[in-house]
Amino acid sequence: ILAGRDFTAADGIGNANVVILNESFVRKFDLGSNPVGKTVRLKGRYVPQDPVEIVGVVADVRQAGPLRASAPAGYVPMTQLAQPVTTLHFAVRSEMRAERLAAHVRDGVSSLDETLPAFALRTGHDLIAATVATQRFNLLVLSVFAIVAIGLAIAGVYGVLSHFVQQSRRGFGIRQGL
């Protein structure tokens, strides 16, 4: 949090709607150097439809991958959402091995509610690899074409030099004889 505060228990149903914005949002909509306390109206499916008070500003997060710039984003408490959330994403940091941690996460989720599924558990390395998979594939294809092009260039130069030497062979013999 760069300015303002985090959500509190008081930011629930029946209280004023609040939002935490990222730096890109503040810059794009020119909300000034300290927008905390200002009121804005957000549009979207999952945001409150009434005006919301800005209670904090957070640093940008590259949610679309490490190569894409951060998009403007706002964060609202779940209790103030216009529509219920059907999927939640959590990040868990631990020194534990991924397999053991996944079992603990599944046990923890099922202890809260037996009907909640814990699925698509992936490590941070897997998530990063998935976000750069397209770029990695493109670089691989480009590398293969570059290697083929270099091979063709070498074969072409060899062929031209071989042809030149073959045509000049008789002249080389005469020069050697002289």
Side-chain angles (χ1 to χ4, degrees):
I1 295 182
L2 302 175
R5 65 173 175 85
D6 198 355
F7 298 126
T8 64
D11 296 327
I13 298 173
N15 295 327
N17 291 329
V18 294
V19 66
I20 295 176
L21 304 175
N22 70 352
E23 291 176 298
S24 294
F25 192 104
V26 172
R27 274 192 308 273
K28 181 173 181 174
F29 296 104
D30 196 25
L31 297 175
S33 61
N34 187 11
V36 175
K38 292 182 180 178
T39 302
V40 293
R41 183 177 290 274
L42 304 174
K43 290 186 178 184
R45 186 171 23 163
Y46 294 108
V47 296
Q49 301 305 306
D50 298 326
V52 294
E53 178 187 351
I54 302 170
V55 295
V57 177
V58 294
D60 288 338
V61 176
R62 293 177 186 249
Q63 295 180 9
L67 302 177
R68 294 194 179 121
S70 179
Y75 306 95
V76 297
M78 286 181 44
T79 55
Q80 295 182 354
L81 294 177
Q83 291 184 0
V85 174
T86 57
T87 304
L88 292 176
H89 301 271
F90 290 96
V92 179
R93 182 180 298 210
S94 175
E95 296 294 324
M96 215 181 290
R97 293 185 53 87
E99 298 82 26
R100 283 190 57 216
L101 182 60
H104 284 290
V105 168
R106 283 191 182 92
D107 291 342
V109 170
S110 67
S111 71
L112 294 173
D113 187 349
E114 293 282 332
T115 63
L116 291 177
F119 59 94
L121 300 176
R122 297 185 287 178
T123 65
H125 294 292
D126 292 342
L127 289 172
I128 292 170
T131 60
V132 296
T134 302
Q135 291 87 355
R136 185 172 291 178
F137 176 75
N138 290 342
L139 286 175
L140 177 67
V141 170
L142 183 67
S143 298
V144 168
F145 281 132
I147 290 170
V148 169
I150 289 172
L152 287 173
I154 289 171
V157 169
Y158 173 79
V160 168
L161 285 176
S162 174
H163 181 70
F164 175 73
V165 169
Q166 188 68 25
Q167 285 184 338
S168 303
R169 197 167 170 194
R170 186 169 180 218
F172 288 150
I174 292 172
R175 286 190 193 102
Q176 242 181 349
L178 288 175

